[in-house]
Amino acid sequence: MDDRTAVQPKMVPVSQQEAYRGGTKLRRRFPTIHYLRNHARHHIPHFAFEYSDGGAGADTGIAHNWAALDAVELVPRYGVMPSLPPLEVELFGRRYAAPIGIAPMGGPAVVWPGADQFMAEAAQRTRIPYVLGTVGGLSIEQAMAIAPDVMWFQLYRMARNDHALGFDLVRRADAAGVNVLVITIDVPVRTTRPREVIVGLGGGPIRPEPRTILDVLSAPGWMMALLKHGLPRFANMKPYAGEGASTNDVIRFTRREIGGAFTWDEIARFRDRWKRPLVLKGILHPLDAERAVSLGVDGVWVSNHGGRQIEALPPSIDVLPAIAAQIGRRATILMDSGVRSGLDVVRALALGAQTAFAGKAFLWGLGALGPQGPQHVIDLLIDEARATLGQIGAHSPAEAQSVVIRHPGALSFPQLPGR
Ligand SMILES: Cc1cc2nc3c(=O)[nH]c(=O)nc-3n(C[C@H](O)[C@H](O)[C@H](O)COP(=O)(O)O)c2cc1C
């Protein structure tokens, strides 16, 4: 294990826990992520909020994710918890401060210019995983310079020229020393997110329309950030788009290159090339998890893409127990989709995940607080997760799995062999 990443577990006396101290000014204004979302709605341009908040169709998939998490109840055991538990976890040979991570996102800089940098900085400061997206606003090399101990890289499929571009990004990630490669498999098709389309972010070139300009003028903090950090850039893709390519050229190029979901044969080829830990993101079926493990994948990331693909996908929390039962300890299990609190994180731990990631929660933090947002979201998630473990009587994140759980939405897969 890398010495720099060693974190000593420590118990935290209840009286010293942040939430119990009455909180800082930020905590008084934004005691939960819910308040960040409400404030973001009025603090950034309308198009930026719509980008951060919208899902497929009528957002039903997002609502299902939230409702499914809300329905999970944990039965506490008392008399066993004189102090609050440590949250440290080990993932893929490195220690992290908490079982919480920042999910990969393309375009967070739409929500707050410079967003990728602020998320990477907060993750490094706290030592939680930060996943840079293929179409994120930092290049692999820039993100590694900011977050060398915690940065992972997410890859989309770019099949032209026999995956030349994807293989080159993987080569760059390897050369930069990225520890974990995350391959996203759950975007076989492009679907419609109407709230993005309506505000002009449906995928075409960026054209400032009068209403967009008015939107920007109504959000002076966001406008200043834009002047300082510039337009969102597809930093990883730019070098491949040709000399002097404009932002719109790079967008067009990226849309042409990225497409379809990886086949299992393709995943096997990436497995061959990438010698460090490999994670498959977007798994919802135990047999796909099994297939991933059989190919030598190290991590299975249970996700429905945060309700952004189609609305009929089951909430990841509802398929998590069946996937955990299927693969056991043969791979690390990660989860996202709908996480809005440290309580949700512990629900995911209790049902079989080793770490839960959040996407939109970080965008709402950025929308409400700009550069300070990601750190505040991390602080809230950590405090709430620690308090939840304390409340249910779990002495570590792993011990959350031993509590009694009521999970009305749990999906069973009776047709699976052996059940
Ligand atoms: C604005 C936005 C952009 C995203 N872009 C990507 C991406 O480029 N690659 C990817 O694998 N997932 C992407 N996702 C999905 C997230 O990684 C994650 O699965 C999802 O946000 C989790 O659900 P939550 O938002 O409810 O936390 C994106 C999500 C959002 C909200």
Coordinates of all heavy atoms in Angstrom, one line a residue, residues 106-139:
G106 N -19.8 14.3 -17.0 CA -19.4 15.2 -18.1 C -20.1 16.5 -17.9 O -21.3 16.5 -17.5
G107 N -19.4 17.6 -18.0 CA -20.0 18.9 -18.0 C -20.4 19.5 -16.6 O -21.3 20.4 -16.6
P108 N -19.8 19.1 -15.5 CA -20.2 19.8 -14.3 C -19.8 21.3 -14.3 O -20.5 22.1 -13.6 CB -19.3 19.1 -13.2 CG -18.2 18.4 -13.9 CD -18.8 18.1 -15.3
A109 N -18.9 21.7 -15.2 CA -18.6 23.1 -15.3 C -19.7 23.9 -15.9 O -19.7 25.2 -15.8 CB -17.3 23.3 -16.2
V110 N -20.7 23.3 -16.5 CA -22.0 24.0 -16.9 C -22.6 24.5 -15.6 O -23.2 25.6 -15.5 CB -22.9 23.1 -17.6 CG1 -24.3 23.8 -17.8 CG2 -22.3 22.6 -19.0
V111 N -22.6 23.7 -14.5 CA -23.3 24.0 -13.3 C -22.5 25.1 -12.5 O -23.1 26.0 -11.9 CB -23.4 22.8 -12.4 CG1 -24.2 23.1 -11.1 CG2 -24.2 21.7 -13.2
W112 N -21.2 25.0 -12.6 CA -20.3 26.1 -12.0 C -19.0 26.0 -12.7 O -18.2 25.0 -12.6 CB -20.1 25.9 -10.5 CG -19.5 27.2 -9.9 CD1 -18.2 27.5 -9.8 CD2 -20.3 28.3 -9.4 NE1 -18.1 28.8 -9.2 CE2 -19.4 29.3 -9.0 CE3 -21.6 28.6 -9.3 CZ2 -19.7 30.5 -8.5 CZ3 -22.0 29.8 -8.8 CH2 -21.1 30.8 -8.4
P113 N -18.6 27.1 -13.5 CA -17.3 27.0 -14.2 C -16.2 26.8 -13.2 O -16.1 27.3 -12.2 CB -17.3 28.5 -14.8 CG -18.7 28.9 -15.0 CD -19.4 28.3 -13.8
G114 N -15.3 25.8 -13.6 CA -14.2 25.4 -12.8 C -14.6 24.2 -11.9 O -13.8 23.8 -11.0
A115 N -15.8 23.7 -12.0 CA -16.3 22.7 -11.1 C -15.4 21.5 -11.0 O -15.2 21.0 -9.8 CB -17.7 22.2 -11.6
D116 N -14.8 21.0 -12.1 CA -14.0 19.8 -12.0 C -12.9 20.0 -11.0 O -12.5 19.1 -10.2 CB -13.5 19.4 -13.4 CG -14.6 19.2 -14.4 OD1 -15.1 20.2 -14.9 OD2 -15.1 18.1 -14.6
Q117 N -12.2 21.1 -11.1 CA -11.1 21.4 -10.3 C -11.5 21.5 -8.8 O -10.9 20.9 -7.9 CB -10.5 22.8 -10.7 CG -9.4 23.3 -9.8 CD -9.1 24.8 -10.1 OE1 -9.3 25.3 -11.2 NE2 -8.6 25.5 -9.1
F118 N -12.7 22.1 -8.5 CA -13.1 22.2 -7.1 C -13.5 20.8 -6.5 O -13.2 20.5 -5.4 CB -14.3 23.1 -7.0 CG -14.0 24.5 -7.6 CD1 -14.9 25.1 -8.4 CD2 -12.8 25.1 -7.3 CE1 -14.6 26.4 -9.0 CE2 -12.5 26.4 -7.8 CZ -13.4 27.0 -8.7
M119 N -14.1 19.9 -7.4 CA -14.4 18.6 -6.9 C -13.1 17.8 -6.6 O -13.0 17.1 -5.6 CB -15.3 17.8 -7.9 CG -16.7 18.4 -8.0 SD -17.9 17.4 -8.8 CE -17.3 17.5 -10.5
A120 N -12.1 17.9 -7.6 CA -10.9 17.2 -7.4 C -10.1 17.6 -6.2 O -9.6 16.8 -5.4 CB -10.0 17.3 -8.7
E121 N -10.1 18.9 -6.0 CA -9.4 19.5 -4.8 C -10.0 19.0 -3.5 O -9.3 18.6 -2.5 CB -9.4 21.0 -4.8 CG -8.4 21.6 -5.8 CD -8.6 23.1 -6.0 OE1 -9.6 23.7 -5.5 OE2 -7.8 23.7 -6.8
A122 N -11.4 19.0 -3.4 CA -12.1 18.6 -2.2 C -11.8 17.1 -1.9 O -11.6 16.7 -0.8 CB -13.6 18.9 -2.3
A123 N -11.9 16.3 -3.0 CA -11.7 14.9 -2.8 C -10.3 14.6 -2.3 O -10.1 13.8 -1.4 CB -11.9 14.2 -4.1
Q124 N -9.3 15.3 -2.9 CA -7.9 15.1 -2.5 C -7.7 15.5 -1.0 O -7.1 14.8 -0.2 CB -6.9 15.8 -3.4 CG -5.5 15.8 -3.0 CD -4.8 14.5 -3.2 OE1 -5.3 13.6 -3.9 NE2 -3.7 14.2 -2.5
R125 N -8.3 16.7 -0.7 CA -8.1 17.2 0.7 C -8.7 16.2 1.7 O -8.1 15.9 2.8 CB -8.9 18.5 0.8 CG -8.6 19.4 1.9 CD -9.4 20.7 1.8 NE -9.3 21.5 0.6 CZ -10.3 21.9 -0.2 NH1 -11.6 21.5 0.1 NH2 -10.1 22.6 -1.3
T126 N -9.9 15.6 1.4 CA -10.6 14.7 2.3 C -10.1 13.3 2.2 O -10.4 12.5 3.0 CB -12.1 14.8 2.1 OG1 -12.4 16.1 1.7 CG2 -12.9 14.4 3.3
R127 N -9.5 13.0 1.0 CA -9.2 11.6 0.7 C -10.4 10.7 0.4 O -10.6 9.7 1.1 CB -8.2 11.0 1.7 CG -6.8 11.4 1.5 CD -5.9 10.8 2.6 NE -4.7 11.5 2.6 CZ -3.6 11.2 1.9 NH1 -3.7 10.1 1.1 NH2 -2.5 11.9 1.9
I128 N -11.2 11.1 -0.5 CA -12.3 10.2 -1.0 C -12.1 10.1 -2.5 O -11.5 11.0 -3.1 CB -13.7 10.7 -0.6 CG1 -13.9 12.1 -1.3 CG2 -13.9 10.8 0.9 CD1 -15.4 12.4 -1.5
P129 N -12.6 9.0 -3.1 CA -12.4 8.8 -4.6 C -13.1 9.9 -5.4 O -14.2 10.3 -5.1 CB -13.1 7.5 -4.9 CG -13.2 6.8 -3.6 CD -13.3 7.8 -2.5
Y130 N -12.3 10.4 -6.4 CA -12.9 11.4 -7.3 C -12.7 10.7 -8.7 O -11.6 10.4 -9.1 CB -12.1 12.7 -7.3 CG -12.2 13.5 -8.5 CD1 -13.4 14.2 -8.7 CD2 -11.2 13.7 -9.4 CE1 -13.6 14.9 -9.9 CE2 -11.4 14.4 -10.6 CZ -12.6 15.1 -10.8 OH -12.7 15.8 -11.9
V131 N -13.8 10.6 -9.5 CA -13.7 10.0 -10.8 C -13.9 11.0 -11.9 O -14.9 11.7 -12.0 CB -14.8 8.9 -10.9 CG1 -14.6 8.1 -12.2 CG2 -14.9 8.0 -9.7
L132 N -12.8 11.2 -12.6 CA -12.9 12.1 -13.7 C -13.5 11.5 -14.9 O -13.2 10.3 -15.3 CB -11.4 12.5 -14.1 CG -11.3 13.4 -15.4 CD1 -11.8 14.8 -15.1 CD2 -9.9 13.5 -15.9
G133 N -14.5 12.1 -15.5 CA -15.2 11.6 -16.7 C -14.4 11.8 -18.0 O -13.7 12.8 -18.1
T134 N -14.6 10.9 -18.9 CA -14.0 11.1 -20.3 C -14.3 12.5 -20.8 O -13.4 13.1 -21.3 CB -14.7 10.1 -21.3 OG1 -14.6 8.8 -20.8 CG2 -14.1 10.2 -22.7
V135 N -15.5 13.0 -20.6 CA -15.9 14.3 -21.1 C -15.9 15.3 -20.0 O -16.6 16.3 -20.1 CB -17.2 14.2 -21.9 CG1 -17.0 13.6 -23.2 CG2 -18.3 13.5 -21.1
G136 N -15.1 15.1 -18.9 CA -15.0 16.1 -17.8 C -14.3 17.3 -18.3 O -13.8 17.4 -19.4
G137 N -14.1 18.3 -17.4 CA -13.5 19.5 -17.7 C -12.0 19.6 -17.5 O -11.4 20.7 -17.7
L138 N -11.4 18.6 -16.9 CA -10.0 18.5 -16.7 C -9.4 17.4 -17.6 O -10.1 16.4 -17.8 CB -9.6 18.2 -15.3 CG -10.0 19.2 -14.2 CD1 -9.7 18.6 -12.8 CD2 -9.2 20.5 -14.4
S139 N -8.2 17.6 -18.0 CA -7.5 16.4 -18.7 C -7.1 15.5 -17.6 O -7.0 15.8 -16.4 CB -6.3 16.9 -19.5 OG -5.3 17.3 -18.6

